[in-house]
Amino acid sequence: MVILTSVLTTGALTLTACGSRDSGSKSDSGSTTLTIGVDAPLSGENSTTGLGIQYGVQIAVDDANKNNWVPGVKFKVKALDDKAQPATGQSNATAFTGDSSVVGAVGPLNSGVAQSMQQVFASANMVEISPSNTNPALTQGKDWQTNKTRPYKTYFRTATTDALQGAFAADYAYNGLKKKKAFVVDDKQTYGAGLAGIFNGSFKKLGGSIAGTDHVNTGDTDFSSLVTKIKNSGADLLYYGGQYDESEKITKQLKGAGVKIPLFGGDGMFATTYIQTAGKAAEGDLATSVGVPADTLPAAKQFIATYKAKGYKGDYGAYGAYAYDAASAIIKAVKAVKDGNGDKLPANTDLRSKVVDAVQKSDFEGISGKVAFDQYGDTTNKQLTVYQVTNGAWKAVKTGTFNGS
């Protein structure tokens, strides 16, 4: 079980702010302990994938400690539950930056939550790496389609963006599934609305038509009016931008009304919970996700074996490996800073800023593939996969590197 470390006292915060202490805390053995924060929904909506992030980081930290990745330094995890709420995520970011032992953070899961956290981490010059955020604006600015500008140098991600994911899905829907008339729905959230909008534009550009569009609210359970609209539209595909919490209910009600068309979504839908809740109604539905199936990556075999052996809850399949690599990037950055500083850790404020710079220079083989970041903080790993529910399980049906062309 991971023990959630409480926030340090006000006195410790004061010491951190003035930089009057070295980073972390000294143990009896003389080693320094640094903390890696994890922010994700660990309860309620989206918790299946959120827990996969938490334990992905935990395994990386355990590996670093066991194998002495940074001599003289031990790491621990501080996991905070954002409940998929932006305000809670912002509060968690403040807790991380106020803890003198925290050197960086992994998360959040949701792009909307990330928007509320980025400024907090930037003000503290602390690195934040998300294994799952896909909204392009987070790294390339609100005008990313016409004028890419990086808003925060402290923010990175190991997941590729919706600019590629939405177009990848549209290409497979039109050219792979031969669908010509899509109904597009989103959950009004930063991630869902952005992804649905990109799919919409890409599908039309390919020659497809949009039978209709609509929106739902997170937490909704009755989709009867939406089902009627989709049924009357004559659509041969439903594309949904949002999380599995709503889409698993939509597909069940859609199929229950006799509308036998597939529901296609993004990585927010790619979870075992979707199939477990929707049951037989999920058969034939599709989802895109970042990277390639973790089970097919040779480097991830030990990670998966450890995750299962530990009996960790949640689903590692979507983002577990990317969370592991995000934590690894922070840990390796600490080593680079220590090596470049006479084999000593600089004071807290200097360490945090130097870790940001070192993460930008990341270049290593992770368990999800190559870990490196471009000038925007985006991963250089552009691989994507389309999964389809086949015989009650997600099966990869197309994997490739997609550039939107």
Side-chain angles (χ1 to χ4, degrees):
M1 177 181 292
V2 175
I3 299 174
L4 305 186
T5 309
S6 60
V7 181
L8 298 184
T9 63
T10 303
L13 301 187
T14 303
L15 288 168
T16 299
C18 67
S20 59
R21 272 189 179 176
D22 285 342
S23 305
S25 59
K26 292 285 186 179
S27 69
D28 292 338
S29 63
S31 66
T32 298
T33 299
L34 296 177
T35 303
I36 295 179
V38 178
D39 175 88
L42 307 179
S43 64
E45 289 192 2
N46 311 158
S47 59
T48 295
T49 42
L51 288 167
I53 290 174
Q54 176 186 355
Y55 294 122
V57 173
Q58 185 64 60
I59 295 172
V61 164
D62 290 344
D63 283 350
N65 291 337
K66 177 182 177 181
N67 298 309
N68 201 28
W69 287 4
V70 187
V73 179
K74 295 298 181 184
F75 296 89
K76 64 180 180 179
V77 174
K78 176 176 184 172
L80 298 180
D81 183 2
D82 64 28
K83 304 182 190 299
Q85 298 297 319
T88 307
Q90 186 176 56
S91 177
N92 291 347
T94 300
F96 289 140
T97 59
D99 183 337
S100 64
S101 75
V102 179
V103 70
V106 176
L109 168 69
N110 307 88
S111 292
V113 176
Q115 287 182 321
S116 72
M117 302 175 76
Q118 287 180 305
Q119 181 63 61
V120 179
F121 285 114
S123 296
N125 232 338
M126 183 188 289
V127 70
E128 172 192 12
I129 308 178
S130 173
S132 55
N133 294 162
T134 53
N135 188 278
L138 294 171
T139 48
Q140 300 172 19
K142 60 184 179 64
D143 299 321
W144 63 271
Q145 290 175 304
T146 56
N147 181 31
K148 292 181 174 62
T149 304
R150 186 176 186 176
Y152 303 103
K153 73 169 189 175
T154 52
Y155 177 86
F156 300 81
R157 54 179 154 202
T158 50
T160 194
T161 74
D162 291 333
L164 298 183
Q165 185 176 197
F168 189 61
D171 178 75
Y172 189 77
Y174 187 81
N175 293 313
L177 299 176
K178 307 300 181 183
K179 301 298 183 182
K180 307 301 179 186
K181 194 175 182 181
F183 197 103
V184 180
V185 178
D186 69 71
D187 63 0
K188 304 180 187 176
Q189 301 300 303
T190 301
Y191 161 74
L195 182 60
I198 293 167
F199 175 90
N200 188 322
S202 299
F203 191 72
K204 287 189 292 187
K205 191 178 293 185
L206 288 166
S209 64
I210 302 300
T213 61
D214 207 347
H215 314 279
V216 300
N217 297 304
T218 56
D220 283 353
T221 57
D222 182 358
F223 300 100
S224 54
S225 61
L226 173 63
V227 167
T228 299
K229 289 179 184 178
I230 298 169
K231 187 173 185 177
N232 293 338
S233 75
D236 56 10
L237 175 79
L238 168 60
Y239 188 82
Y240 180 74
Q243 306 290 339
Y244 59 81
D245 302 274
E246 288 73 39
S247 61
E248 62 195 19
K249 298 178 182 67
I250 292 173
T251 198
K252 197 168 186 177
Q253 293 176 35
L254 190 68
K255 308 295 173 50
V259 187
K260 306 299 184 183
I261 63 173
L263 187 153
F264 199 163
D267 54 323
M269 210 179 90
F270 180 56
T272 54
T273 304
Y274 178 83
I275 301 172
Q276 291 166 356
T277 301
K280 292 182 179 179
E283 197 71 16
D285 287 351
L286 305 105
T288 49
S289 192
V290 299
V292 299
D295 292 338
T296 68
L297 294 166
K301 285 184 178 179
Q302 185 56 53
F303 165 78
I304 295 170
T306 300
Y307 198 105
K308 292 178 177 179
K310 292 283 188 179
Y312 286 144
K313 296 180 180 179
D315 187 351
Y316 67 81
Y319 310 117
Y322 297 91
Y324 182 102
D325 284 344
S328 297
I330 296 173
I331 294 168
K332 289 177 182 294
V334 169
K335 184 178 190 305
V337 172
K338 183 171 179 283
D339 288 348
N341 191 53
D343 201 32
K344 296 179 181 179
L345 291 176
N348 178 277
T349 51
D350 288 340
L351 175 60
R352 287 178 173 178
S353 63
K354 289 180 183 295
V355 165
V356 171
D357 295 337
V359 166
Q360 182 66 65
K361 299 174 183 175
S362 295
D363 186 2
F364 65 92
E365 286 298 326
I367 65 170
S368 66
K370 181 71 172 289
V371 178
F373 304 101
D374 65 16
Q375 68 269 39
Y376 303 107
D378 283 326
T379 178
T380 58
N381 183 352
K382 308 297 185 184
Q383 290 184 303
L384 289 157
T385 300
V386 177
Y387 295 88
Q388 187 167 33
V389 180
T390 306
N391 296 323
W394 290 111
K395 179 184 177 182
V397 292
K398 181 180 180 180
T399 297
T401 300
F402 193 69
N403 59 15
S405 60

